[in-house]
Amino acid sequence: MTAAPGSLTPAERPPVQKAPWTHQRTLGVVLLCIWAALALAVAAFMVESWNPTLFERYAPRYMSGLWITIQLVVLSVIFGALLSIPIAYGRMSENRFLSALAYAYVYFFRGTPLLAQTFLIYYGLGSFRPELQAIGLWSFFRDAWNCALFAFTLNTAAYQAEILRGAIGSVGRGQWEAASALGIPKLLAIRKIIIPQAMIVALRPYGNEVILMIKGSAIVAIITVFDLMGETRRAYSQTFDFQTYIWAALIYLALVELLRNLIDLIEKRITRHLKR
Amino acid sequence: MRISRRVALALPAAFLAFTLGAANAQGMKVKIGTEGAYPPFNNLTSDGKLEGFDIDIARALCEEMKAECEFVTQDWDGIIPALQAGKFDAIIASMSINEDRKKEVDFTDKYYNTPPAIVVPKDSDIKGVTKEDLAGKTIGAQGSTTHSTYAEKTFTDSDVKLYPTSEEYKLDIINGRLDAVIDDVVVLDEFLKTDDGACCKIAGTLTPIEEIYGPGIGIAVRKGDNDLREKLNAAIKAIRENGKYKEINEKHFSFDVYGD
């Protein structure tokens, strides 16, 4: 192939403009340097305060705490997802009684702190022991772990129901109408047509909800379940060493980062028909 | 123009600095950190005022030092870091003088010393307070305390549950989730006197291990704050001698809490 006559040679390219040092740019670079210095300071602190005996003593505890956190979040998000289906159905129902009931549920659980809900379920229900024993529920509520799982499930179900309702609402009416015009049964239409489209909208909010649950679960130590944060506080109260908290922060960060990547993967998978 | 503005700013600043300095010289100001959830030593009344043995002792010490004192309530978990961060100057909150804490803060001499005890429900089958007596049982304690350290080290065959404050383990022994709780005998005795405490009885007192409990309860100050520590020590000595301590002791308890 020969170059066409009159084509531009590299020497004739317009000169590259140097980006001017505007105020914004200077500020951006300075801020970036501050962040980098902070990250370096934390890293230096961790290296300098590295203490093998401390690590030996607390690493297994952190791991057991992390395992508790993961179990609690995974189980409560799954149970919450199941519970959110009837609630979302209630919220979208034309039956006024059902819709009011679902509205009240969501209103209460989104409007009050998770801390208060957990406290009330554990200590509050604890004071009704004779009544709970009479109906055979005490053996469930006696255990702190069950109470934590129960409270977290109820809480996340309210949020997930709203995510689900919003996502289903975002699928155009035309989709429902087309499905029914083709004679597709309603349940099949929901499963094969509505939900796959709704999930694209719902995925990011679901991801947010799981991340919030991971961090929200840090309150569970008030009812004696020692999760990652509980173990951190215990380690700190015995060592008075701030690196205990930095370790916890790094573990939470890693957990959230892992989850973020997982959600990116899922998004790629469920939106593959939109890619060219 | 520019200079005169600077002068205009500097003048009131200098005046402020001068008056503040003068106020400082007049009387010492001490901020005292306490928990406010540990009756009968320090707790909040229903209208939000601090009361208890620690609080009365603190007031007497301040009076003795001719200092102006201000109380700050702070969660137990974070009370030592808050002292180090300068949120207050001294912790008067029934804190045991032990080796772990001595690495972080300095302590005054003790101002009381009472033994730990174990409380169980009235219908409990727990006979004593040894490791064997409590094997397989669930024991409650407040986290980050000498009592929780003692329980975790001693009752290794039991399930030790840690609570944020003494209020929560009380709830759980009343409703039967706990088989026993460990705390200071005076705190537990006070609890048994309340309506809620009718559920329970004292199973026995424990001999404090010096290594965990130290010589007793002291006042914590920041490391190297010798001036305040010595003033507090002198004040403790003074109220012991002038009868003020005895008066406060008798107001709260029917027995001597100072120990020997």
Side-chain angles (χ1 to χ4, degrees):
Chain A
M1 208 170 119
T2 53
S7 70
L8 288 175
T9 62
E12 282 169 290
R13 272 193 194 156
V16 177
Q17 294 268 317
K18 270 191 185 162
W21 278 93
T22 57
H23 286 303
Q24 286 97 323
R25 191 175 168 204
T26 319
L27 185 69
V29 170
V30 168
L31 286 178
L32 210 60
C33 288
I34 292 175
W35 279 111
L38 278 176
L40 273 177
V42 170
F45 176 75
M46 300 300 283
V47 170
E48 195 207 357
S49 57
W50 174 251
N51 183 341
T53 52
L54 208 70
F55 185 79
E56 223 166 84
R57 189 166 159 202
Y58 290 107
R61 291 191 179 181
Y62 269 61
M63 283 304 118
S64 90
L66 176 63
W67 181 231
I68 296 274
T69 296
I70 292 175
Q71 276 179 304
L72 199 57
V73 172
V74 169
L75 290 177
S76 64
V77 166
I78 291 173
F79 292 146
L82 294 176
L83 186 59
S84 76
I85 296 169
I87 299 166
Y89 179 80
R91 285 284 278 133
M92 298 170 78
S93 167
E94 276 161 22
N95 180 329
R96 281 177 64 187
F97 175 71
L98 273 185
S99 119
L101 202 67
Y103 179 77
Y105 179 91
V106 171
Y107 188 84
F108 177 78
F109 280 99
R110 289 204 310 173
T112 54
L114 181 58
L115 182 76
Q117 293 161 12
T118 311
F119 198 93
L120 279 176
I121 285 171
Y122 185 73
Y123 294 110
L125 287 181
S127 59
F128 294 103
R129 179 182 178 183
E131 291 83 349
L132 287 170
Q133 259 172 337
I135 52 172
L137 285 176
W138 176 246
S139 57
F140 179 84
F141 285 107
R142 188 179 200 276
D143 187 47
W145 164 261
N146 289 345
C147 287
L149 189 58
F150 185 64
F152 283 29
T153 300
L154 293 185
N155 180 276
T156 187
Y159 284 91
Q160 290 191 34
E162 284 300 279
I163 295 171
L164 194 60
R165 183 180 74 94
I168 290 175
S170 77
V171 179
R173 271 181 68 93
Q175 299 283 332
W176 294 89
E177 286 163 359
S180 89
L182 289 170
I184 299 171
K186 199 166 181 189
L187 273 178
L188 186 66
I190 290 176
R191 195 158 62 85
K192 287 285 189 187
I193 299 167
I194 307 301
I195 292 293
Q197 297 181 75
M199 276 306 120
I200 297 172
V201 177
L203 185 66
R204 292 285 156 181
Y206 270 136
N208 274 347
E209 174 58 18
V210 180
I211 289 171
L212 287 177
M213 284 305 287
I214 289 175
K215 292 184 290 184
S217 67
I219 55 138
V220 77
I222 62 155
I223 62 166
T224 73
V225 176
F226 273 65
D227 68 328
L228 180 54
M229 201 63 210
E231 290 296 352
T232 305
R233 294 219 327 243
R234 170 148 65 177
Y236 181 73
S237 75
Q238 288 168 358
T239 60
F240 302 103
D241 190 338
F242 274 114
Q243 66 166 311
T244 53
Y245 276 102
I246 297 178
W247 277 112
L250 291 177
I251 296 173
Y252 275 111
L253 208 62
L255 210 56
V256 171
E257 179 61 20
L258 212 67
L259 191 73
R260 196 181 67 80
N261 282 304
L262 185 70
I263 287 170
D264 277 353
L265 269 176
I266 297 174
E267 188 177 41
K268 268 200 190 123
R269 165 83 192 160
I270 64 175
T271 59
R272 66 194 188 283
H273 62 287
L274 298 173
K275 296 268 159 33
R276 289 169 207 236
Chain B
M1 177 63 200
R2 219 172 165 174
I3 293 165
S4 69
R5 188 185 286 170
R6 235 180 237 176
V7 171
L9 277 175
L11 269 176
F15 180 70
L16 202 65
F18 177 75
T19 47
L20 279 179
N24 242 350
Q26 269 177 9
M28 190 165 60
K29 275 192 183 166
V30 182
K31 278 194 177 177
I32 292 166
T34 195
E35 186 195 8
Y38 200 60
F41 290 109
N42 61 77
N43 57 282
L44 293 163
T45 59
S46 50
D47 57 348
K49 288 197 182 78
L50 277 166
E51 63 167 15
F53 179 78
D54 286 339
I55 308 303
D56 286 342
I57 289 287
R59 290 210 175 101
L61 294 177
C62 290
E63 199 179 307
E64 192 62 43
M65 297 189 297
K66 298 195 174 37
E68 202 181 305
C69 285
E70 189 191 324
F71 287 97
V72 180
T73 51
Q74 161 74 43
D75 280 349
W76 183 251
D77 260 359
I79 207 162
I80 285 181
L83 173 74
Q84 289 168 329
K87 308 258 186 237
F88 35 78
D89 310 304
I91 300 172
I92 305 188
S94 294
M95 184 177 276
S96 300
I97 305 166
N98 72 9
E99 290 306 318
D100 275 351
R101 290 175 181 145
K102 267 195 209 162
K103 286 180 208 149
E104 302 296 321
V105 294
D106 284 346
F107 280 101
T108 63
D109 302 335
K110 71 161 185 177
Y111 65 93
Y112 80 85
N113 189 15
T114 49
I118 297 239
V119 151
V120 295
K122 277 190 176 143
D123 55 2
S124 172
D125 59 354
I126 296 172
K127 296 278 175 286
V129 292
T130 63
K131 181 184 168 186
E132 289 73 34
D133 290 324
L134 290 159
K137 305 288 184 186
T138 310
I139 307 171
Q142 181 178 1
S144 319
T145 60
T146 43
H147 305 295
S148 69
T149 312
Y150 180 88
E152 288 190 314
K153 279 209 177 134
T154 316
F155 305 123
T156 42
D157 295 333
S158 318
D159 180 17
V160 177
K161 289 194 155 219
L162 303 181
Y163 293 81
T165 77
S166 64
E167 305 300 334
E168 281 96 16
Y169 73 60
K170 287 176 194 165
L171 291 172
D172 262 4
I173 187 130
I174 296 164
N175 64 36
R177 283 196 182 107
L178 293 173
D179 300 315
V181 298
I182 177 171
D183 211 328
D184 191 285
V185 66
V186 178
V187 171
L188 291 174
D189 197 45
E190 187 73 13
F191 165 58
L192 296 186
K193 280 189 217 151
T194 63
D195 291 345
D196 289 337
C199 64
C200 305
K201 61 175 186 194
I202 287 189
T205 53
L206 300 153
T207 318
I209 301 175
E210 177 85 16
E211 177 203 335
I212 296 173
Y213 283 97
I217 304 290
I219 301 170
V221 298
R222 273 183 295 276
K223 266 219 161 312
D225 193 352
N226 291 328
D227 183 40
L228 181 59
R229 194 169 57 87
E230 273 155 26
K231 277 187 180 142
L232 284 166
N233 272 339
I236 293 171
K237 203 154 176 261
I239 62 167
R240 285 285 301 163
E241 274 160 14
N242 69 15
K244 186 77 189 162
Y245 186 96
K246 196 158 178 281
E247 195 183 300
I248 296 170
N249 190 143
E250 277 164 9
K251 177 183 159 194
H252 291 276
F253 311 113
S254 53
F255 52 94
D256 174 32
V257 294
Y258 188 76
D260 36 42

